[in-house]
């Protein structure tokens, strides 16, 4: 097992995260490298090489200063380490061509004959026509109390439980599960979907903003609308959809909101959330509350005059109803928490995981990501600058988007350990609670009426915070965190893979347990110098990863915690990380999948494996349960692509192999 591995974030490395513009000394064919870049790198680093989130910029003065005199080293690094999820797949010639393209401005501007962006000629629009028969509109009452056999929103209910009340599949019979059908999905891009199911119809988002309706019993395709852009055009996954009345709502990877007719797949309306040409996008879908389509926003890591926000739209027309700024602007409430930084230099604050909603409180709860660049030394702030509303839970009134309360989990967060993930709402002994766990692996317990901190538990080893105030929940950073210098390494646990990431936990009401997929890895991280100008910024850090001490190389951890006491109920660990959310059911079974292609059912009371199967490639996304004519089904995606949850294990556990294709939806059921 490896102990320490240098690593770069997405298709062409953090170690390269510096910029491009110098002659490569004839190392390769820049025009050919341009085509390789479009096919292998542009989806993460963007077509203009400006980078996004974990995928660093591959253009600019910093890149040139690091690599212009070392084109052979750059080519060697590309061949050895890129792309992260298929390192070594490029030939030496292709790596030299790619280095030439990245380092030669004339090659970058060249447009060779016949060189077109990937899938630019692919047909878009309604490419398969059909109609869902006997469609029943989804009402507000159904969203509040979903029919047992349906899966109508992200994580199934407004409270975000990732739990199904179906009980046909139990601990006693789950070992008899068999494959009912499988549907091959689009290749390319990031495949991390959560199907929706209504009245036996599965609505599925493919990479490339391609939405399909399938018969849940047979897997037969009913309709397909290829909205675009394709997977090679923009960064990011499509994790979830929303359904309301007679429409399916999809937030595209280039920051549009599209309403499709649930019966036919035809576009009913679309609106622009933010300008995708500026790098804005979305990776998770909306939440419909009382006819309002509430949507987050991603792609806010670069310096822009516009900040990140949560917004709401009329479900009938697409008209924007309100907008809440997640990065406080100058002379606005919370604006003074960004020190002296002008609006242009206030980046981050993405809301890339769908929120939850309490109908009784009439509040919607969202996690807000960290500030950008990641580290204090890069962004020019201090530990005294809270940087509202980053690394926070915000509670908003869905009627107008006003802030009811917020709780900041990590003021001035500085190691890409953000707190953006699911907010799970549970009532315990008459008290309204909110649970969330972020990258530090700390499970937080808040009062969801007031936002007051109640308790926490550390689910994995972390050494960023030395203390958490027992009254306020405010963390104290270790002494050396504020002492940051450009280019100097800091060693910290967990890594940017996070103790917890987008793979959602499940609340199982029968046992009062939160079942959480966790990861165990550490890193060394060094801040980069950042130009203070529009279009700069980004994540701006070099990273190298290593195994978490004391884990014996076991990256994957699945653990259950009691919602009353936060005491651990059981834990299981394994080498391969878990890459799906957890689905628990009333049959006292929980389902989860991993990088090593295994999909398992475990006992919710003990974590003991009850059944497992091995699928075509890594099991990734959100398993769901549904019923057709009273018969229960379990659906789970397989997929490729993603950020740190995939790339860190690729660096520190390279012996785990899986095919480089195989995006699909597998559906299981009990035999008749």
């Amino acid at each position: 097992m490896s102990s320490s591995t240098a690593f770069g974030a997405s298709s062409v490395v953090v170690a390269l995260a510096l910029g491009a513009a110098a002659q490569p000394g004839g190392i390769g064919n820049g025009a050919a490298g341009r085509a390789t870049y479009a096919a292998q790198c542009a989806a993460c680093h963007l077509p203009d090489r400006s980078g996004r989130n974990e995928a660093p910029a591959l253009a600019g003065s910093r890149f040139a200063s690091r690599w212009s005199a070392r084109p052979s080293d750059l080519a060697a690094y590309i061949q050895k380490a890129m792309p992260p999820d298929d390192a070594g797949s490029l030939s030496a010639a292709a790596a030299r061509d790619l280095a030439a393209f990245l380092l030669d401005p004339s090659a970058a501007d060249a447009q060779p004959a016949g060189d077109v962006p990937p899938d630019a000629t692919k047909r878009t629009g309604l490419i398969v026509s059909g109609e869902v028969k006997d469609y029943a509109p989804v009402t507000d009452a159904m969203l509040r109390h979903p029919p047992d056999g349906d899966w109508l929103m992200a994580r199934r209910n407004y409270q975000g439980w990732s739990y199904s009340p179906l009980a046909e599949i139990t601990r006693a019979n789950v070992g008899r599960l068999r494959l009912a059908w499988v549907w091959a999905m689009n290749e390319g891009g990031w495949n991390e979907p959560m199907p929706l199911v209504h009245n036996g119809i599965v609505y599925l988002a493919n990479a490339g903003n391609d939405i399909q309706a399938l018969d849940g019993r047979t897997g037969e395709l009913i309709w397909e609308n290829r909205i675009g852009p394709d997977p090679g055009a923009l960064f990011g996954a499509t994790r979830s959809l929303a359904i309301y009345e007679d429409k399916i709502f999809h937030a595209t990877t280039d920051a549009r909101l599209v309403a499709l007719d649930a019966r036919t797949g035809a576009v009913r309306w679309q609106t622009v959330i933010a300008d995708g040409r500026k790098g804005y996008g979305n990776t998770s879908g909306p939440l419909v509350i009382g006819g309002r389509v509430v949507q987050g926003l991603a792609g806010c890591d670069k310096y822009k005059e516009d900040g990140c926000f949560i917004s709401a739209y009329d479900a009938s027309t697409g008209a924007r109803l309100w907008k809440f700024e997640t990065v406080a602007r100058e002379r606005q409430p919370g604006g003074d928490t960004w020190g002296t930084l002008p609006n242009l230099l206030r980046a981050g604050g993405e809301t890339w995981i769908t929120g939850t909603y309490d109908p009784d409180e009439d509040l919607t709860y969202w996690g807000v990501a960290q500030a950008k660049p990641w580290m204090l030394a890069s962004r020019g702030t201090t530990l005294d600058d809270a940087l509202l509303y980053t690394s926070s839970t915000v509670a908003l009134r869905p009627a107008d988007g006003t802030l009811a309360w917020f709780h900041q989990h990590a003021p001035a967060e500085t190691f890409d350990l953000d707190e953006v993930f699911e907010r799970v709402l549970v009532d315990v002994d008459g008290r309204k609670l909110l649970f969330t766990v972020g990258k530090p692996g700390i499970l937080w317990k808040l009062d969801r009426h007031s936002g007051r901190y109640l308790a926490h538990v550390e689910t994995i080893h972390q050494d960023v915070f030395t203390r958490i105030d027992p009254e306020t929940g405010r963390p104290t950073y270790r002494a050396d965190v504020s002492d940051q210098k450009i280019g100097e390494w800091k060693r910290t646990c967990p890594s940017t893979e996070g103790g917890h990431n987008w793979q959602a936990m499940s609340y199982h009401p029968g046992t009062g347990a939160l079942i959480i997929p966790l990861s165990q890895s550490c890193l060394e991280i060094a801040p980069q110098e950042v130009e203070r100008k529009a279009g700069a910024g980004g994540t701006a850090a070099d990273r190298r990863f290593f195994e978490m001490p004391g884990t014996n190389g076991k990256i994957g951890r699945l653990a259950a915690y009691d919602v009353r006491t936060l005491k651990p109920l059981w834990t299981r660990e394994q080498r391969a990380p878990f890459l799906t959310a957890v689905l628990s059911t009333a049959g006292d079974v929980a389902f989860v999948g991993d990088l090593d292609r295994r999909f398992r059912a475990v006992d919710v009371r003990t974590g003991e494996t009850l059944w497992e199967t091995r699928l075509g490639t890594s099991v990734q996304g959100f398993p769901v349960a549904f019923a057709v004519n009273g018969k229960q089904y379990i659906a789970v995606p397989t997929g490729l692509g993603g950020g740190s949850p995939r790339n860190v294990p690729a660096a520190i556990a390279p012996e785990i192999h899986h095919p480089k294709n195989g995006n699909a939806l597998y559906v299981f059921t009990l035999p008749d």
Side-chain angles (χ1 to χ4, degrees):
M1 296 181 184
S2 60
S3 59
S4 180
T5 308
F7 177 69
S10 221
S11 289
V12 188
V13 275
V14 162
L16 306 183
L18 303 167
Q23 294 295 334
I27 186 175
N29 184 324
R34 183 183 188 281
T36 299
Y37 181 85
Q40 298 286 343
C41 315
C44 292
H45 296 273
L46 301 185
D48 64 359
R49 295 170 291 136
S50 62
R52 177 172 170 184
N53 198 28
E54 292 187 343
L58 303 179
S61 58
R62 280 185 57 79
F63 186 86
S65 66
R66 182 163 186 171
W67 294 105
S68 61
R70 303 166 52 213
S72 295
D73 290 345
L74 175 57
Y77 189 92
I78 290 171
Q79 187 186 10
K80 178 181 178 181
M82 293 296 111
D85 59 355
D86 196 13
S89 61
L90 293 176
S91 68
R96 289 193 298 269
D97 292 344
L98 185 52
F101 166 70
L102 294 173
L103 295 174
D104 185 347
S106 63
D109 294 337
Q111 178 71 34
D115 180 25
V116 297
D119 295 324
T121 60
K122 183 185 291 185
R123 186 160 66 98
T124 59
L126 197 61
I127 65 170
V128 175
S129 296
E131 184 174 352
V132 173
K133 304 300 183 183
D134 302 318
Y135 180 84
V138 174
T139 65
D140 291 295
M142 292 166 67
L143 293 181
R144 289 191 179 209
H145 304 286
D148 287 356
D150 281 5
W151 195 283
L152 298 180
M153 67 182 73
R155 305 183 299 276
R156 193 180 180 276
N157 63 358
Y158 273 142
Q159 294 75 27
W161 287 3
S162 294
Y163 165 82
S164 170
L166 296 174
E168 179 189 2
I169 298 169
T170 68
R171 288 179 293 168
N173 63 24
V174 68
R176 299 171 56 214
L177 278 183
R178 63 171 179 81
L179 185 66
W181 54 269
V182 61
W183 176 260
M185 299 176 65
N186 292 354
E187 296 295 348
W190 295 14
N191 205 54
E192 303 168 1
M194 180 191 308
L196 294 188
V197 188
H198 177 46
N199 280 354
I201 304 301
V202 175
Y203 295 95
L204 182 64
N206 287 247
N209 305 284
D210 189 348
I211 312 301
Q212 299 164 331
L214 305 165
D215 185 307
R217 187 178 60 84
T218 65
E220 187 71 22
L221 180 66
I222 299 171
W223 58 253
E224 178 175 356
N225 195 320
R226 190 173 290 157
I227 297 167
D230 70 82
L234 280 179
F235 167 101
T238 297
R239 295 188 181 91
S240 59
L241 303 166
I243 185 170
Y244 180 63
E245 295 180 338
D246 59 351
K247 301 180 189 68
I248 300 292
F249 301 96
H250 168 52
T252 67
T253 53
D254 62 348
R256 290 172 292 141
L257 186 62
V258 181
L260 303 178
D261 189 305
R263 295 181 178 87
T264 66
V267 173
R268 298 280 291 273
W269 56 256
Q270 62 178 304
T271 190
V272 173
I273 299 170
D275 190 346
R277 295 169 299 181
K278 295 181 179 180
Y280 290 113
N282 273 300
T283 61
S284 292
L287 184 69
V288 180
I289 303 171
R292 303 173 187 88
V293 185
V294 184
Q295 177 63 46
L297 186 62
C300 309
D301 56 309
K302 297 297 182 57
Y303 291 147
K304 308 184 262 281
E305 286 293 344
D306 305 322
C308 228
F309 54 85
I310 302 166
S311 50
Y313 304 83
D314 186 291
S316 298
T317 66
R320 180 180 287 174
L321 302 174
W322 54 258
K323 180 172 77 169
F324 172 79
E325 302 274 2
T326 57
V327 170
R329 319 308 287 163
E330 295 176 272
R331 294 177 294 280
Q332 297 294 321
D336 58 352
T337 64
W338 285 78
T340 60
L341 291 182
N343 285 340
L344 175 64
L345 304 183
R346 300 182 180 200
E350 294 88 347
T351 45
W352 55 276
I353 296 294
T354 306
T356 47
Y357 174 59
D358 180 344
D360 296 328
E361 292 288 314
D362 196 25
L363 293 177
T364 181
Y365 306 91
W366 293 70
V368 182
Q370 76 283 61
K372 309 294 190 308
W374 282 336
M375 302 189 72
L376 300 174
S378 298
R379 64 182 178 239
T381 59
T382 72
L383 288 181
D384 294 326
D385 300 318
L387 313 177
L388 292 176
Y389 297 93
T390 63
S391 295
S392 297
T393 297
V394 295
L396 307 179
R397 301 177 182 93
D400 56 13
T402 54
L403 180 69
W405 58 258
F406 74 92
H407 176 86
Q408 191 168 41
H409 302 274
E413 196 286 313
T414 187
F415 290 126
D416 182 31
L417 298 178
D418 57 313
E419 302 278 354
V420 74
F421 309 108
E422 69 277 9
R423 270 57 186 165
V424 177
L425 314 182
V426 181
D427 294 346
V428 177
D429 300 329
R431 188 158 198 178
K432 290 178 169 291
L433 303 177
L434 179 150
F435 296 90
T436 188
V437 55
K439 284 190 180 182
I442 298 171
L443 175 60
W444 302 96
K445 183 178 185 177
L446 305 180
D447 182 304
R448 73 174 184 268
H449 173 74
S450 65
R452 179 176 171 238
Y453 162 83
L454 298 176
H456 75 279
V457 64
E458 297 184 15
T459 64
I460 58 158
H461 168 67
Q462 69 85 21
D463 60 13
V464 177
F465 307 123
T466 58
R467 178 179 183 271
I468 294 177
D469 187 286
E471 295 297 323
T472 66
R474 185 181 179 90
T476 299
Y477 290 90
R478 71 177 199 236
D480 70 319
V481 168
S482 63
D483 180 25
Q484 297 182 11
K485 296 180 176 60
I486 298 297
E488 290 189 2
W489 296 92
K490 294 284 184 185
R491 188 178 176 100
T492 187
C493 296
S495 78
T496 54
E497 177 186 22
H500 181 65
N501 209 291
W502 59 263
Q503 306 97 307
M505 62 178 146
S506 176
Y507 171 62
H508 185 265
T511 56
L514 294 166
I515 307 172
I516 311 174
L518 302 162
S519 294
Q520 302 179 127
S521 62
C522 302
L523 88 164
E524 292 178 318
I525 186 168
Q528 299 170 355
E529 187 175 355
V530 174
E531 295 180 276
R532 301 291 198 265
K533 66 177 186 179
T539 52
D542 292 316
R543 296 174 294 166
R544 50 199 187 203
F545 299 92
F546 58 95
E547 292 174 354
M548 182 174 283
T551 64
N552 195 30
K554 293 180 178 178
I555 304 168
R557 181 180 176 95
L558 187 68
Y561 293 85
D562 186 282
V563 292
R564 287 178 169 82
T565 65
L566 294 189
K567 290 181 179 179
L569 300 173
W570 52 261
T571 299
R572 63 176 296 161
E573 295 181 324
Q574 61 180 47
R575 178 66 165 161
F578 296 102
L579 288 182
T580 72
V582 176
L583 161 68
S584 68
T585 72
D588 288 346
V589 178
F591 295 88
V592 67
D594 67 29
L595 178 66
D596 202 25
R597 303 190 288 124
R598 287 182 167 85
F599 183 49
R600 290 187 180 88
V602 304
D603 190 319
V604 297
R605 289 175 168 79
T606 66
E608 174 190 1
T609 296
L610 302 170
W611 168 86
E612 75 171 49
T613 187
R614 214 162 188 201
L615 303 182
T617 193
S618 47
V619 191
Q620 176 170 280
F622 295 79
V624 305
F626 64 93
V628 183
N629 297 327
K631 187 173 183 59
Q632 183 177 347
Y633 295 82
I634 303 293
V636 66
T638 55
L640 304 172
S644 285
R646 293 193 67 101
N647 296 337
V648 175
I652 66 176
E655 79 282 2
I656 300 176
H657 301 292
H658 53 78
K660 306 307 178 185
N661 58 6
N663 292 350
L665 183 70
Y666 291 78
V667 179
F668 298 89
T669 192
L670 295 173
D672 293 329

